[in-house]
Amino acid sequence: MVATTETIAAVEDATGAYKYGFVTDIETEKAPKGLNEDIIAFISAKKDEPEWMLEWRLKAYRHWLKMASPDWAKLNIPAIDYQDVYYYAAPKSAEGPKSLDEVDPELLATYEKLGIPLNEQKMLAGVAVDAVFDSVSVATTFREELAKSGVIFCPISEAIREYPELIKKYMGSVVPVADNYFSALNAAVFTDGSFVYIPKGVRCPMELSTYFRINEKNTGQFERTLIIAEDNSYVSYLEGCTAPQRDENQLHAAVVELVAMEDAEIKYSTVQNWYPGDETGKGGIYNFVTKRGICRGDRAKISWTQVETGSAITWKYPSCILKGKDSVGEFYSVAVTNGAQQADTGTKMIHLGEGSRSTIISKGISAGKSQNTYRGLVEVHKPAEGARNFTQCDSLLVGDTCGAHTVPYIVSRNPSGKIEHEATTSRISEDQLFYCLQRGMDEEESVSLIVNGFCKEVMKELPMEFAVEAQKLIGISLEGSVG
Amino acid sequence: MNLLEIKNLHASIGDTKILHGINLTINRGEVHAIMGPNGSGKSTLSYVLSGRDGYEVTDGEILLDGESVLEMEADERARAGMFLAFQYPVELPGVTGMSFLRAAVNARRREAGQDEVDQLEFVKLVRAAAADLGVDNEMLKRAVNVGFSGGEKKRYEILQMSLLKPSLAVLDETDSGLDVDALKIVSDGVNAQRGGDCGMLVITHYQRLLSHIVPDFVHILAGGRIIKSGDKSLALEVEENGYAGLVDAA
Ligand SMILES: Nc1ncnc2c1ncn2[C@@H]1O[C@H](COP(=O)(O)OP(=O)(O)OP(=O)(O)O)[C@@H](O)[C@H]1O
Ligand SMILES: [Mg+2]
């Protein structure tokens, strides 16, 4: 309820422009442009990595060289010159170990401006943040607090040095190095990201979040996140992303792996607001992301919630491998496209465990000249006796120059599995719009209200602290889509 | 100054002419009833007044407080004080009543340069107003009009009116779908708004509403024109004899 008023205010405030589009003027250290084994060795050395890590990267790179960019999505992806990208950029001041007091004030100011104050006193109560700026993590808050309960929350580069056993065991265990073109690329050049470890029986005492910011020009961001929840533990994690407004396209290829053991629960939420490009399709982030979780133990639960409003191109399918008996996978998604944006997003629910259950709720909103596709796979394997899936895909069209598509794949190898799929496509009706206008809301506010209503089922899955922000974003992303 | 002045109003939907020269003046505090056969243009008049897209004024003038509203968008007219209780209220899936009502109230407050309503105060205010109209708290938590019964939707319209306090309220067949008791409750709600600065245009087919909301004037709309105006006795006449005689005489 608060959120609606906030939405209104936000829609009013915003001038129709991407408000995170500013650039931070800060001295950076970059590796030379281009991709080769030397660059990979450079990144590995910068991160002070052990030899095995470099080997792992090189292996991934050699795989990648033999792979081809996927072309099955309903996306028009311009050819990307991988030699014209910087694979490493770091604010000079971010080198070396740092406490919050030592973080460059320029960086702190940047995050303030983005609405993510890193000063622990000013922060949202109960939310710990890892802030990743281009290729490095610049600050991680509340670490000591978390350590008291045995929770590890740190940059992944640090985890590679400090917890090599966990990394060796789990990194690449859910998304194998050569899983796909972009995951292989990420494995070769990933620079930072977050590592989370929740020990047995621990309920993580606060929300964890990572805030990704691309600042440098022509720089790719390749972060890697790994979350491990041991038996009977719980964690809720949120990532947010923004980037400056630039005419060139920028590449973002992330990998996220989640491991949930017996009776563990991981709730992973994303509010993705990378710069979407202008309305003619100039500029914007190419967002090619591989996110996958495995419910290894019985009754484990993984829940993905995403609000995707940004990026010029989104290629992303957060998935669950439901291996444990009675394990649960959930995917709640809102994908908003406007202008010339293209999104091909959805999920994969792979049922292996007996009695495993999954729920998919996808809300696609297309406006302007955008194309918005839901692509989802539900696969019930032989051992998954009595598996159940419920899928609901709703598309909402704003205007008549956009497209919405639903591509569900269903594979059932066990006849006892029960799979339900519901899909609807609708428009914001003129009746609804007039009803709101007649009550005094202007057109943008009316659309925002109707669209937020349409997404309600998904929005209520977001952690409270972020729901307001997400509602605002939806309103802002649809600006200029009517009238 | 008159609250509303409709002068020689002609309007079409697409190529179809629906209103053929309507003249009507409403002063503050007055209640005008409009009756007329199905398809005579009553709802069309309400939409034209409130500025709905697709309803084109081809001739004539609409003045609210002496100012033409023809160039104003629907939302601007609403914020200028016009309210329409819909004949068929619209469902807004997922939009909860409280947030919808607050957005509507705040839109007016912002226009008036006032601060937005205090959340807690507002909830209290809405609950009180809702109780008066027999709208329970559960209904306020539900999505606007979704799954409401016909009668519930009509009560909800009047609840909105009582919160928005319009200067000109157009009620389009608010009585249809209401049971006898609800008709009384809703009429009391309307009468509570009556008088003072508010003028009303009440569209109905039935005299029974007008025995609760007693009109100062009654107009008969047929074929897109007002063919006869009179006092409340005209409604009784229609009830007894139907429209045939009136239409023929016109
Ligand atoms: N979108 C439209 N396109 C064309 N004609 C329309 C449209 N909407 C309404 N009409 C016509 O305009 C005329 C007036 O309709 P209107 O709904 O105003 O009547 P009404 O007096 O409110 O009737 P009722 O008592 O049944 O509610 C009717 O002939 C109707 O068919
Ligand atoms: Mg009508």
Side-chain angles (χ1 to χ4, degrees):
Chain A
M1 282 190 254
V2 190
T4 319
T5 5
E6 301 266 349
T7 306
I8 296 156
V11 170
E12 283 223 315
D13 291 350
T15 49
Y18 181 74
K19 69 169 178 170
Y20 307 100
F22 64 91
V23 180
T24 305
D25 190 7
I26 195 160
E27 235 190 309
T28 50
E29 182 184 19
K30 281 188 265 191
K33 253 188 195 175
L35 183 53
N36 52 51
E37 297 202 358
D38 290 343
I39 292 287
I40 294 168
F42 174 88
I43 293 170
S44 188
K46 269 282 155 207
K47 302 282 177 188
D48 216 355
E49 286 178 356
E51 187 62 24
W52 56 266
M53 196 68 239
L54 176 60
E55 284 310 314
W56 196 81
R57 287 175 178 277
L58 291 173
K59 207 174 107 198
Y61 174 65
R62 289 166 198 151
H63 254 294
W64 178 76
L65 286 175
K66 285 181 261 168
M67 299 172 86
S69 191
D71 59 0
W72 40 261
K74 194 176 164 45
L75 298 171
N76 180 5
I77 307 174
I80 297 167
D81 182 355
Y82 289 91
Q83 297 306 335
D84 195 34
V85 174
Y86 290 106
Y87 290 84
Y88 182 88
K92 277 215 169 120
S93 52
E95 294 206 350
K98 69 266 159 187
S99 75
L100 268 179
D101 308 334
E102 296 168 55
V103 175
D104 189 325
E106 192 65 37
L107 284 172
L108 289 180
T110 299
Y111 282 91
E112 279 276 357
K113 211 162 152 188
L114 294 167
I116 327 275
L118 296 175
N119 179 329
E120 291 187 4
Q121 278 88 52
K122 282 199 208 161
M123 290 191 51
L124 286 168
V127 183
V129 178
D130 183 17
V132 178
F133 193 84
D134 290 330
S135 305
V136 288
S137 168
V138 292
T140 310
T141 63
F142 290 114
R143 289 174 60 169
E144 281 150 41
E145 185 84 21
L146 288 165
K148 281 184 206 150
S149 48
V151 170
I152 304 172
F153 179 41
C154 69
I156 201 145
S157 49
E158 186 181 319
I160 291 166
R161 295 189 300 266
E162 306 290 326
Y163 313 101
E165 294 320 310
L166 285 172
I167 296 291
K168 276 187 196 166
K169 186 164 169 195
Y170 292 110
M171 193 190 270
S173 71
V174 191
V175 179
V177 164
D179 184 78
N180 66 70
Y181 189 73
F182 299 113
S183 70
L185 176 63
N186 174 285
V189 302
F190 75 91
T191 40
D192 228 322
S194 303
F195 175 75
V196 176
Y197 179 81
I198 316 288
K200 254 187 200 170
V202 171
R203 200 183 157 84
C204 185
M206 53 181 89
E207 293 277 342
L208 303 184
S209 81
T210 301
Y211 195 86
F212 296 102
R213 171 79 178 165
I214 299 179
N215 189 60
E216 272 305 298
K217 207 168 161 172
N218 289 329
T219 302
Q221 192 169 50
F222 306 93
E223 85 270 3
R224 203 166 174 106
T225 293
L226 175 59
I227 300 179
I228 301 154
E230 294 283 12
D231 292 357
N232 238 316
S233 66
Y234 170 85
V235 63
S236 168
Y237 177 93
L238 181 123
E239 59 170 5
C241 341
T242 59
Q245 194 160 342
R246 298 190 187 283
D247 287 347
E248 307 83 28
N249 296 104
Q250 279 178 291
L251 187 57
H252 172 250
V255 170
V256 174
E257 295 178 284
L258 312 182
V259 180
M261 304 307 221
E262 203 169 287
D263 292 302
E265 178 175 349
I266 302 176
K267 194 170 160 50
Y268 193 106
S269 313
T270 304
V271 175
Q272 186 265 109
N273 183 31
W274 296 117
Y275 176 55
D278 71 8
E279 65 279 12
T280 65
K282 195 165 185 199
I285 301 292
Y286 293 162
N287 192 34
F288 303 124
V289 173
T290 307
K291 290 184 168 168
R292 196 174 302 154
I294 182 165
C295 289
R296 281 220 198 175
D298 294 351
R299 296 168 305 278
K301 177 174 174 183
I302 288 179
S303 171
W304 298 101
T305 304
Q306 60 173 23
V307 175
E308 304 277 320
T309 62
S311 296
I313 300 178
T314 298
W315 178 97
K316 179 181 170 192
Y317 316 89
S319 305
C320 297
I321 301 170
L322 303 169
K323 190 156 174 260
K325 198 174 148 198
D326 297 319
S327 58
V328 176
E330 294 175 337
F331 175 72
Y332 298 99
S333 169
V334 169
V336 183
T337 54
N338 195 2
Q341 283 178 278
Q342 308 176 62
D344 192 299
T345 182
T347 183
K348 288 191 266 185
M349 292 290 173
I350 313 296
H351 291 260
L352 300 170
E354 195 183 313
S356 51
R357 306 191 300 279
S358 63
T359 304
I360 300 172
I361 310 281
S362 160
K363 305 279 181 177
I365 298 110
S366 350
K369 292 194 171 62
S370 69
Q371 294 294 328
N372 197 329
T373 302
Y374 167 81
R375 186 181 304 278
L377 168 68
V378 177
E379 205 171 80
V380 176
H381 288 262
K382 268 244 169 61
E385 189 70 21
R388 277 184 285 150
N389 162 264
F390 174 75
T391 300
Q392 186 183 324
C393 287
D394 299 320
S395 308
L396 186 70
L397 301 165
V398 183
D400 49 15
T401 50
C402 55
H405 319 273
T406 303
V407 191
Y409 304 89
I410 295 169
V411 178
S412 182
R413 300 211 168 84
N414 185 320
S416 71
K418 195 169 153 220
I419 300 173
E420 288 174 78
H421 182 98
E422 290 176 9
T424 65
T425 301
S426 53
R427 277 176 197 286
I428 289 189
S429 75
E430 200 273 323
D431 279 352
Q432 291 176 326
L433 201 54
F434 176 61
Y435 193 67
C436 294
L437 293 173
Q438 210 301 307
R439 296 306 185 241
M441 285 80 99
D442 65 21
E443 204 154 65
E444 259 158 20
E445 190 183 345
S446 300
V447 169
S448 173
L449 204 64
I450 295 166
V451 169
N452 271 304
F454 173 79
C455 304
K456 180 86 176 301
E457 281 166 279
V458 173
M459 303 302 270
K460 72 178 181 8
E461 296 296 327
L462 283 178
M464 269 266 276
E465 297 87 335
F466 301 102
V468 174
E469 183 70 16
Q471 288 210 352
K472 278 191 215 169
L473 262 183
I474 291 176
I476 292 166
S477 328
L478 286 169
E479 271 180 24
S481 63
V482 284
Chain B
M1 194 191 307
N2 304 314
L3 172 62
L4 177 74
E5 213 176 330
I6 304 175
K7 293 197 244 178
N8 187 34
L9 183 67
H10 290 253
S12 336
I13 309 171
D15 294 332
T16 317
K17 290 191 163 178
I18 314 279
L19 303 182
H20 303 275
I22 290 187
N23 291 289
L24 179 65
T25 299
I26 298 181
N27 290 302
R28 286 183 187 76
E30 290 175 357
V31 173
H32 291 239
I34 288 198
M35 302 180 84
N38 293 130
S40 57
K42 303 183 296 297
S43 293
T44 302
L45 175 61
S46 75
Y47 292 146
V48 171
L49 289 177
S50 44
R52 184 167 190 158
D53 261 3
Y55 290 73
E56 198 197 340
V57 173
T58 52
D59 199 4
E61 185 55 273
I62 303 170
L63 304 173
L64 183 68
D65 289 317
E67 304 271 346
S68 172
V69 299
L70 293 183
E71 295 302 315
M72 289 162 76
E73 297 294 338
D75 57 315
E76 296 172 300
R77 295 189 201 189
R79 293 194 297 274
M82 274 198 195
F83 179 87
L84 170 59
F86 284 61
Q87 182 175 1
Y88 304 109
V90 182
E91 298 189 356
L92 301 176
V95 181
T96 58
M98 222 29 119
S99 55
F100 182 73
L101 295 172
R102 189 171 34 239
V105 166
N106 281 335
R108 276 176 179 64
R109 293 180 67 104
R110 279 198 304 268
E111 180 95 357
Q114 296 167 319
D115 287 342
E116 300 203 339
V117 289
D118 175 79
Q119 308 268 7
L120 265 172
E121 286 299 309
F122 187 69
V123 170
K124 281 191 208 153
L125 189 75
V126 172
R127 289 202 174 149
D132 287 345
L133 289 162
V135 172
D136 69 24
N137 287 342
E138 279 313 302
M139 225 169 102
L140 293 172
K141 289 183 198 154
R142 285 161 64 183
V144 175
N145 289 321
V146 176
F148 290 10
S149 75
E152 285 170 343
K153 285 182 181 167
K154 295 306 174 74
R155 290 182 203 211
Y156 207 67
E157 293 293 289
I158 300 308
L159 169 62
Q160 295 178 49
M161 178 179 100
S162 68
L163 290 167
L164 294 175
K165 307 215 178 328
S167 53
L168 175 69
V170 180
L171 313 187
D172 192 355
E173 295 196 27
T174 297
D175 51 336
S176 66
L178 292 178
D179 63 40
V180 184
D181 297 331
L183 183 67
K184 172 93 174 62
I185 294 168
V186 166
S187 300
D188 288 348
V190 172
N191 285 330
Q193 299 287 307
R194 187 171 179 168
D197 281 343
C198 179
M200 291 189 192
L201 188 59
V202 179
I203 298 171
T204 183
H205 286 293
Y206 304 108
Q207 154 62 26
R208 60 167 198 169
L209 175 70
L210 302 181
S211 64
H212 289 289
I213 306 171
V214 182
D216 300 303
F217 301 92
V218 175
H219 310 277
I220 309 300
L221 186 67
R225 287 188 186 84
I226 288 177
I227 56 167
K228 189 163 183 179
S229 297
D231 62 12
K232 62 184 178 185
S233 64
L234 182 55
L236 288 165
E237 198 182 317
V238 167
E239 180 103 326
E240 236 154 76
N241 307 323
Y243 295 112
L246 294 170
V247 173
D248 291 345

